[in-house]
Amino acid sequence: MGDAGDKFDKFAGKAKEGAGKVTGDEDLEREGKADQAKAAAKEAAKEAKEKAGEAAEKAKDVFKR
């Protein structure tokens, strides 16, 4: 799933959390928070992967000299 999917998951989690608060459904509220955390973790993992790739490219450039 791409960035759009992660953003949708985050939005859906916020919606679940809000619905849980409004209806008093603590399970739904917790599920929404968990969905948001999972989406944030995916985004962080993708960012870390990108940074690692950039660092690897810089290292290659250094050794080519």
Side-chain angles (χ1 to χ4, degrees):
M1 198 177 303
D3 290 339
D6 294 337
K7 289 185 190 316
F8 176 79
D9 288 345
K10 200 171 193 178
F11 174 77
K14 284 184 186 241
K16 279 185 187 178
E17 180 184 2
K21 283 182 181 179
V22 169
T23 62
D25 186 339
E26 292 178 358
D27 289 335
L28 185 60
E29 186 176 347
R30 271 192 297 276
E31 186 179 330
K33 287 180 180 181
D35 289 349
Q36 290 176 69
K38 187 168 65 169
K42 284 183 185 179
E43 289 174 351
K46 285 179 186 176
E47 187 174 321
K49 184 178 177 182
E50 288 174 9
K51 295 287 183 188
E54 290 170 6
E57 287 299 318
K58 285 181 182 178
K60 283 183 191 177
D61 290 342
V62 167
F63 287 110
K64 286 181 181 177
R65 293 181 187 172

